[in-house]
Amino acid sequence: MVANRWDDIEAKKIAAEAGADPADQDLAAQAYGSRLLGADMALVQHGGGNTSCKVLRKDLFGNDVKVLHVKGSGHDLAQITPAGMPAVRLEPLLALRALDGLSDEDMVNTVRCNMLDASGPNPSVEILLHAYLPHAFIDHTHATTMLAIADLPDAAAVVDEIFGGKVAVVPFHMPGFDLGKAAAEVYEANPDVEGLLLLNHGHFTFGDSAKQAYDRMITHVNMVEDWVAQKTGRKLKHSGPADAGMKAKAVQVMPLLRGILGERRAEFLGNRDTFMPVMDLRAGDNVQEFLARSDWQDLAKRGVATPDHVIRTKNFPLVLTEQTLAGGADAIAAAVDAYIADYTAYFERNNARVGGGKIMLNPVPDMAWIEGVGIIGMGANAGEARIAADLAEQNIAAMSMGEDCGGFHPVGEEDLFDMEYWSLEQAKLPSRNYPRFAGHTVIVTGGGGAIGLATAQAFADLGANILLVDLFDEALAKGLAQLGPDHDGIALDITAEGAAQKAIDACVARFGGVDILVSNAGAAWTGEMIDLDDALLRKSFELNFFAHQTFSKAAAKVFKTQGRGGQLLYNVSKQAVNPGKGFGAYGLPKAATFFLLRQFALELGPMGVRVNGINADRIRSGLLDDDFIKERAKARGIDEGTYMAGNLIRREVEARHVADAFVALAMSERTTAHVMTVDGGNIEAALR
């Protein structure tokens, strides 16, 4: 059941904080209700749904003007504030209803010309529906259970059975002028209803207050949920994490599929170096229950529960059966090619129907249903992949309920195409001018330390998704908090047996594959070689050489499976070429790592894998902590600042400078087997 989270005390507080103007108070209350709706993914998914309120405001001349505040297109109800609900003069919108037809361009122009704040966001494309209904407060969601009955062949009879005349049914129309008029006509023929069910689309409720509209939404959704439970005699399983067995299967499949999809994307774009998709795996009990259905492959060909999904998931998922998986790379590639051919034919049929002029979107799938593995959402980054996966989970729930209650029959191909290629729908998506490392997954070892976290942040700032690896849970948590959502981490001892594979598998399970390994973790032990304990030297080699080697091997295997190249980046150290007295335990394994870099560059080059590194010196991290700096500066009779700037350019080298160098190497597309020095100038450590 969907919980009613309205809190009268909180609502009154929010309204009071909005000021003395009743219009501001009403808008604040509706924004509060909107956030409650948006926070529940059973009701609203990722920018979907919209809400509105009608108020009186003063114009510049002091006249009362009827105003409609409606959610701005592309805004997310879960975080919406009054600023995200632009105000539009109501009377000009009502006047449009007298027209026999209205183009999208004229609708948008009229709306923008009547905005109180011309700099505000574009109002929702469903603004006319909100305008033509007379109610002061209106809520619209795409609740999962509502989508299930909205796609039934006898939806009108079911609605009457459940609501007994409290909800009216509106035939499917594209959002905009026609839908607004149709909804108004249905309401006017049934003025006592509390809401509207839009076939194949979603659900509206309305009221005299924000609370009433919200309460009705929750009540209606729960009434449908009760009906579905009684009709089917069962409850769908909940979403949850994949178990270890499913993850193990997914780790074998995802890099292979990712590489094939990347190759097809490159062919479509004519850019061999374009990125592969980031993936988001869902393999919980709900997904396994769905994929165990005898009709799951048939349902894959039906379409999406609401056309709003199509811009993020395409019309159909890629289907990979156990038989396909057993056929290996060739069979999976054939399935992808068949999908692309089907999508291309779908585009060409419908583009011809609308007179041509549309430009085909990337035909590579955005969602995959994989038998025995799970459902995968895909996108240019983890955020896009997560949204596609969330919508996929909602879709299979609506499909299951709908099919079990009489049949899942969403909109047909033509309506779906019109929605997918509708400019106003595409405008909801974020810019596709992706940052430099969009689609790239980056593993950073020692990710909680100064250099590791600075490097992770530098890549994240350019669009990469990061897996931090660190020994300490606390450092890992702090690092992930800094990076923000859609990154991940794993705490482990990188010198332990199997640690490298465990970390690589974690990255594959989380993001679908690996693109860049920043092998950064290390630590220094000191002591004269003649006195150095052999066990300590071996310990240093385990961390400062063998960990680099094992992580590189594990990453390289994924690179090979993906077949799209990759990068190994090492934090080597100036100690590799400029030994320091008492630093043999650190310099010896670092010198070996320097050679390891060259060896991997030589051997992995034919796979398109680039291997580079950084020789840094005197960075505030690890061994070089505040106490060490203070001690060294005192021993040399200089202040700490002078000690840290002890290089040719007399400037302290910071962790961010090392991070920038790693990024520069990653962007140097035709550079490999190179070590960049980042030390402010140290002739003794110069490589040439």
Side-chain angles (χ1 to χ4, degrees), residues 97-108:
R97 190 177 171 189
L99 298 174
D100 293 329
L102 181 68
S103 70
D104 293 335
E105 293 77 13
D106 286 340
M107 179 183 74
V108 171

Side-chain angles (χ1 to χ4, degrees), residues 247-248 250-252 255 443 445 467 469 490 492-510 513-514 517 546-559 561:
K247 275 192 176 181
V251 165
Q252 299 302 311
I443 298 177
T445 66
L467 183 90
V469 180
I490 183 170
L492 48 72
D493 178 356
I494 65 172
T495 67
E497 185 176 355
Q501 194 62 55
K502 187 175 181 180
I504 297 297
D505 287 350
C507 189
V508 172
R510 179 63 179 84
V514 182
L517 168 66
F546 284 110
H548 293 295
Q549 185 253 351
T550 55
F551 268 76
S552 299
K553 280 178 60 179
K557 289 176 182 177
V558 177
F559 297 159
T561 300

Side-chain angles (χ1 to χ4, degrees), residues 208-263:
D208 298 325
S209 67
K211 180 181 180 181
Q212 187 178 50
Y214 174 83
D215 285 345
R216 286 175 170 174
M217 178 63 70
I218 303 304
T219 298
H220 289 186
V221 171
N222 285 332
M223 289 172 71
V224 173
E225 189 169 323
D226 281 340
W227 181 86
V228 169
Q230 292 173 16
K231 188 78 172 177
T232 63
R234 67 188 184 91
K235 263 195 150 182
L236 297 178
K237 294 185 183 297
H238 293 294
S239 176
D243 63 30
M246 287 300 169
K247 275 192 176 181
K249 289 183 181 179
V251 165
Q252 299 302 311
V253 175
M254 292 167 76
L256 180 58
L257 175 60
R258 185 172 184 248
I260 292 167
L261 295 175
E263 184 66 29

Side-chain angles (χ1 to χ4, degrees), residues 268-337:
F268 176 74
L269 296 175
N271 175 10
R272 64 178 293 184
D273 294 322
T274 191
F275 57 80
M276 295 175 282
V278 176
M279 297 178 165
D280 191 312
L281 170 69
R282 304 297 167 88
D285 289 343
N286 61 327
V287 173
Q288 300 309 322
E289 178 183 58
F290 179 76
L291 293 178
R293 291 178 65 108
S294 61
D295 59 355
W296 73 275
Q297 292 184 58
D298 175 60
L299 289 171
K301 303 171 186 175
R302 300 275 187 93
V304 290
T306 174
D308 277 29
H309 288 182
V310 73
I311 59 172
R312 298 184 184 275
T313 65
K314 288 197 169 65
N315 50 354
F316 305 119
L318 169 69
V319 171
L320 299 178
T321 65
E322 289 182 337
Q323 183 179 2
T324 305
L325 297 180
D330 290 343
I332 294 173
V336 171
D337 289 339

